[in-house]
Amino acid sequence: GTVDAAETGEDSSGLAALLVRAPDDAAPDPAPVRQDKFDASRIMTMDEPAAMFVLLQLADVRHAAGRAWTTPNSASMMVVLLQFGTPQRAEEFQTTYANMERLRRRRTPNMEVPLASVPGAAAYVGTAGNRAVLPEVRAVARHDDIVVLVTAGGAASDDTAVVEALLRSQYERL
């Protein structure tokens, strides 16, 4: 099929063709990737303690693709693929990202959930610091040199099963 450049961010690497499709009844949200670059503000604020480490590693991303949408029940979903130069770089990023999520949610009990259906994947549940913000679930996995990030907020804000299913279907496409 054709890749909608406005929905996925322009992509010359073919990475966007691997992205899961949004459900037919979903409304597209602004793409998290533009000109092969991931908008890091979609996963963190620049004043977080680990933000600098994440940004430094994002500079090593060779290609990026992403898609975001809102479902009819107001769940906001985002899937991002980050392709690094080597599997080691991807693994380093996954570790740094996981450490940022642990630090950010350190006051939330049971905030880290291993996702058995995807090797090495974990979800991070709860609010990120500011209690006024709805909780969300963020999951990270790695397939060779590609890191997969999945975020759910709004109506799916504490639904790890929804995130795991989306992560698994994305992982299987790689």
Side-chain angles (χ1 to χ4, degrees), residues 35-159:
Q35 280 109 31
D36 220 12
K37 296 283 182 236
F38 173 52
D39 175 4
S41 71
R42 300 287 284 266
I43 58 165
M44 65 186 187
T45 59
M46 299 309 143
D47 60 354
E48 289 186 62
M52 225 11 110
F53 299 110
V54 172
L55 283 175
L56 283 170
Q57 289 180 331
L58 282 173
D60 288 337
V61 170
R62 296 262 174 100
H63 298 288
R67 177 172 282 139
W69 64 88
T70 300
T71 63
N73 70 348
S74 301
S76 56
M77 308 297 290
M78 180 177 74
V79 178
V80 175
L81 303 178
L82 301 171
Q83 186 171 31
F84 289 83
T86 66
Q88 292 76 20
R89 293 270 191 202
E91 187 175 13
E92 288 167 15
F93 177 80
Q94 182 180 1
T95 300
T96 301
Y97 179 82
N99 288 338
M100 177 182 74
E101 289 290 356
R102 286 183 198 112
L103 186 63
R104 149 194 291 171
R105 300 169 198 276
R106 64 190 176 277
R107 292 182 191 88
T108 306
N110 307 317
M111 57 83 184
E112 186 170 10
V113 180
L115 302 177
S117 69
V118 180
Y124 301 89
V125 184
T127 55
N130 181 353
R131 298 276 176 233
V133 176
L134 273 174
E136 59 186 4
V137 179
R138 291 194 172 152
V140 62
R142 182 180 65 86
H143 184 282
D144 195 29
D145 61 348
I146 297 173
V147 172
V148 182
L149 296 176
V150 175
T151 300
S157 63
D158 58 355
D159 196 340

